Amino acid sequence: MIDVASIPVVRFCIAGVRLAIPAGAVAAMALEGEAAGSVEDLLGLAPDGKTPSRILTLRIHGADTNIRVPGEVTMRDLPVDAIHPLPDLVRARIGLRGVAALALEDDGVILVIDPTKL
Amino acid sequence: MTAGAGADPTLDQILEAHRGEARAIINVDEPLIKLVVFTLGRDWFAFLGEKVKEVLPDSPVFYLPGCPQSLEGVINVRGDIESVVNLRAVLGYPPGPDHQNSRILLCQTADMRSGLRVDAVEEVTDVVQSRLQPPPHTIAESRKLLVLGIVHFAGQLVTVLDLERIFTDYRGGLDGGRTGDD
């Protein structure tokens, strides 16, 4: 059996767009709490309006920041082989903040977020 | 039938003319350029063949939010992710009727790589470099910057586009403002 290298990520979905944050940057998740803002605001996406939402505590450069994330939040392993840098023109033209990489799945693409770039 | 009054060519002249044509055809010293000829609507265009790595059939494109409409998304090319830009939108053409017969040209320049969607690929051909003519004066100023030259091919006027310039402009946010009516 071959071990496939992978990284744990926290996954969620906004308006059909799949996103993932490396789990190492997520310190905690809670059902309720104060949040500095929504993940849509941070990324520059239109609000999803989905409920219930979760509160993720992101640890960025040693400081904790709470953000509100809509819908279901799961933790999974993402195979390293599936993660790709942004194509040149996507990197230049994408209007979303913090998108550091793309991951391919059989039925779609996941935007991998680097919280330090939000 | 009577002989003409000196206006008709002689058999020797005819044969010599043919020999001249043959010599022109077999002149292998003249450099050739490879062109990938494609269409957008009724207009014919080409990229230099050295810049086109692959001609891909229409493939499932994964939408990416936050990108301009001209950037359709990304495709999976044997495990690699490539962006897909719609050349109609970049050159200011209206959206095409459908993608059924469209092709994606996987293009590579010195520092950029992307797929470009075109309506159809007509031919991959070699032409003598001297047949590449400067762009006509009638071409729109905005388009002129993107044009390497024109060439007559298969009865059509083919505009050879500067892929480096298209990519550089697109990366810098210049697209869609050019009209397709020249």
Side-chain angles (χ1 to χ4, degrees), chain A residues 10-72:
Chain A
V10 174
R11 290 181 52 166
F12 50 96
C13 190
I14 301 174
V17 178
R18 285 179 264 190
L19 299 114
I21 297 176
V26 180
M29 184 177 80
L31 296 177
E32 294 177 349
E34 292 294 316
S38 69
V39 71
E40 295 102 309
D41 290 340
L42 289 172
L43 292 170
L45 273 172
D48 188 291
K50 203 186 287 177
T51 55
S53 60
R54 303 283 186 270
I55 303 294
L56 291 185
T57 302
L58 301 183
R59 184 153 293 166
I60 303 170
H61 301 308
D64 287 354
T65 305
N66 287 350
I67 60 163
R68 190 175 298 281
V69 175
E72 187 182 0

Side-chain angles (χ1 to χ4, degrees), chain B residues 34-55:
Chain B
K34 188 176 288 296
L35 295 177
V36 177
V37 181
F38 59 90
T39 53
L40 295 176
R42 288 177 300 175
D43 295 337
W44 288 52
F45 295 95
F47 286 130
L48 296 178
E50 68 202 51
K51 310 285 187 190
V52 180
K53 297 301 167 196
E54 206 169 338
V55 178

Side-chain angles (χ1 to χ4, degrees), chain A residues 84 88 92-95 104 108, chain B residues 66 76 79 112-113 170-171 175:
Chain A
H84 300 265
D88 303 318
R93 298 298 301 270
I94 195 165
L104 272 184
Chain B
N76 179 356
M112 278 177 278
R113 180 183 173 100
Y170 193 80
R171 185 168 61 180
D175 64 290

